[in-house]
Amino acid sequence: MLEVRGLRAGVAGREILRGVDLTLHSGEVHAVMGPNGSGKSTLAHVIMGRPGYEVLGGSVTLDGADLLAMTPWQRAHAGLFLALQYPTEVPGVSLQDLLESAVRATGQPTAGVAEAIRAEVERLALDPRLLDRPVNVDLSGGEKKKNETLQLGVLRPAFALLDELDSGLDIDALRACARRVEAATEESGLGVLAITHYPRLLHELRADHVHVLAKGAIVRSGGPDLARELDENGYVGLLGPDLAGESETAAVGAGPARPTIDDPFGGPGTSPGGGDPFADPLAGL
Ligand code: ADP
Ligand code: MG
């Protein structure tokens, strides 16, 4: 069980998460939706342990173990996985080396990794030639997301945080990734926190619970109908203009950028404690 209790966190002296409560059991899918800048990526980053955020209160536990006291790699060993909104390019490292290192670090044998990769390539209909490239280097946005899903399939975590897995995916790729994650919930009891803007992801990856995050707090929770309601009425229709608005600084630095290996959690305007002063403000518009 992954349990988030009263989680408050901020960056650069500003509180972004203002008391988030979530309880995920194995095999469950929880979707988190919410306006831009509401704190969705911050939530995923703080649970995984991206440096730079300040935890101001609350707790995050996995089967009772205190995740907030652990480094990101210790959290990964404990069974947590984060599919990044903007996957990182890692020049010079092959996917197989990456996954074998990850498996070796947990003390498991690496003998089956190559075969597991081949099985995932098949399931995701990923072009096998992409495996010859360094991790994510020169892959399209959609291919990178498939690559994240492949890693999830090989590493078989207990809980996965998916930060907009659907962004950049075409319809077929979206279906393949969503189906793969849904299958993991059934095959290995994976618990999923899926951050998304689009109910389409939830056609194949069936959410048991849908939560709406606005201004750093969960303001509505419900079943799959809530995602449909949002699709029809938008955030303003559902929450009213006050809660649906972006946070004051939300627009600063927004727009896709290439994360670097210096900060593998990468992402535009999300660099805790600063952001890239040279970022192109028009990138991704
Ligand atoms: P979402 O993923 O819901 O779009 P984020 O979690 O990325 O939102 O961001 C939540 C809020 O925190 C936004 O207003 C964003 O501008 C702000 N924020 C994120 N990182 C930083 C930072 N390093 N410095 C200042 N504000 C930040
Ligand atoms: Mg985000």
Side-chain angles (χ1 to χ4, degrees):
M1 182 168 82
L2 179 65
E3 205 173 11
V4 180
R5 282 283 154 268
L7 183 62
R8 291 171 48 235
V11 68
R14 190 177 144 227
E15 188 167 343
I16 298 170
L17 300 180
R18 301 161 197 257
V20 174
D21 293 295
L22 276 174
T23 304
L24 271 78
H25 295 96
S26 290
E28 286 180 352
V29 176
H30 291 240
V32 173
M33 307 179 81
N36 293 324
S38 56
K40 303 181 298 297
S41 291
T42 301
L43 176 63
H45 290 158
V46 170
I47 295 175
M48 194 71 222
R50 181 183 183 183
Y53 293 96
E54 201 183 340
V55 175
L56 304 165
S59 64
V60 182
T61 57
L62 203 163
D63 286 345
D66 179 9
L67 286 183
L68 296 179
M70 300 180 195
T71 61
W73 67 263
Q74 288 170 328
R75 298 180 201 206
H77 281 195
L80 201 61
F81 179 93
L82 170 63
L84 292 162
Q85 183 171 2
Y86 303 99
T88 306
E89 296 183 3
V90 191
V93 177
S94 76
L95 186 67
Q96 185 166 335
D97 285 345
L98 176 81
L99 288 171
E100 285 183 348
S101 300
V103 169
R104 195 177 300 116
T106 65
Q108 307 283 320
T110 57
V113 170
E115 198 182 322
I117 292 174
R118 273 196 298 278
E120 295 300 329
V121 163
E122 191 118 333
R123 290 180 84 157
L124 293 164
L126 188 75
D127 183 345
R129 281 174 306 182
L130 298 180
L131 297 180
D132 300 333
R133 306 228 191 119
V135 176
N136 286 327
V137 173
D138 293 329
L139 265 54
S140 73
E143 288 163 349
K144 287 179 182 174
K145 295 305 180 97
K146 278 193 176 180
N147 209 341
E148 297 283 285
T149 311
L150 183 157
Q151 292 167 44
L152 187 159
V154 172
L155 294 173
R156 300 167 60 107
F159 287 93
L161 315 168
L162 312 177
D163 194 356
E164 299 199 23
L165 184 67
D166 45 1
S167 71
L169 285 176
D170 67 35
I171 295 167
D172 294 339
L174 173 59
R175 187 175 295 135
C177 288
R179 271 190 190 157
R180 180 63 191 93
V181 179
E182 171 74 22
T185 65
E186 285 155 19
E187 290 166 13
S188 59
L190 175 73
V192 178
L193 185 78
I195 294 167
T196 181
H197 283 298
Y198 304 107
R200 176 176 284 169
L201 176 77
L202 309 176
H203 289 176
E204 305 276 346
L205 177 61
R206 274 185 281 282
D208 303 290
H209 303 275
V210 175
H211 310 278
V212 180
L213 188 74
K215 302 214 161 152
I218 289 179
V219 294
R220 289 280 293 271
S221 289
D225 286 347
L226 183 54
R228 277 190 284 276
E229 210 183 312
L230 266 176
D231 204 33
E232 280 162 26
N233 302 321
Y235 293 113
V236 175
L238 192 85
L239 308 174
D242 279 357
L243 276 177
E246 289 194 20
S247 323
E248 320 78 75
T249 61
V252 177
R258 282 185 177 209
T260 67
I261 50 174
D262 298 331
D263 180 4
F265 288 79
T270 63
S271 161
D276 177 6
F278 305 107
D280 176 5
L282 300 179
L285 289 181

